[in-house]
Amino acid sequence: MSELPWGPQVMEHNQDQSHADQNDAGSQSHHPGESGTLALSLDDFSSLEDRILRAVNLVKRERLARAAAEERASQAEARLGEQSPVIEQLQKEIAALHAERDHVRQRVEKLLTQLDTLEM
């Protein structure tokens, strides 16, 4: 038994098969414990136990990874919140510098225009 058949379908199948075997065999001897129950060998049970333990460990690792990711996201959001006022201040400074540059450009153009009129 490489795969362990768990579930109501398997139990029903085993019970149906047991009844069919009884009807077909008639006088054949029947092994105790096989009618309607799922018998597991020690190897099958050990294999199932190993699979369950691996699944539990996987779930634990995934929960730890999720908690760590949520913590990193929370820290990133906090840093972003701290940086927002700085970003706004820098954007205001950039806008002021652009306005100052435009003002200086206009003054230089005005001076160049006056120089051009003097040369003529």
Side-chain angles (χ1 to χ4, degrees):
M1 226 191 231
S2 64
E3 284 291 318
L4 295 177
W6 293 99
Q9 298 87 0
V10 173
M11 292 296 288
E12 291 171 6
H13 174 72
N14 286 346
Q15 289 173 351
D16 292 343
Q17 188 65 33
S18 175
H19 290 291
D21 289 345
Q22 287 175 355
N23 291 340
D24 291 343
S27 63
Q28 288 183 350
S29 65
H30 196 66
H31 297 287
E34 283 188 356
S35 62
T37 62
L38 184 62
L40 289 177
S41 71
L42 187 57
D43 290 338
D44 292 338
F45 186 75
S46 178
S47 174
L48 176 62
E49 183 179 25
D50 289 342
R51 291 173 64 191
I52 290 171
L53 289 175
R54 285 194 308 264
V56 166
N57 288 331
L58 177 65
V59 169
K60 284 181 183 179
R61 283 193 311 267
E62 292 302 317
R63 284 183 180 169
L64 289 174
R66 180 179 180 185
E70 287 175 351
E71 180 64 27
R72 286 193 310 271
S74 176
Q75 290 173 355
E77 287 176 354
R79 284 193 304 263
L80 179 63
E82 293 169 359
Q83 296 299 318
S84 290
V86 174
I87 291 170
E88 289 175 17
Q89 179 62 30
L90 291 173
Q91 287 173 336
K92 288 178 184 178
E93 286 181 30
I94 289 172
L97 289 171
H98 282 291
E100 185 179 341
R101 180 189 68 189
D102 290 341
H103 179 67
V104 169
R105 180 182 291 145
Q106 288 174 358
R107 288 181 59 193
V108 168
E109 287 176 358
K110 190 177 193 180
L111 289 172
L112 289 174
T113 304
Q114 289 177 355
L115 283 173
D116 284 341
T117 58
L118 287 176
E119 291 179 2
M120 294 187 156

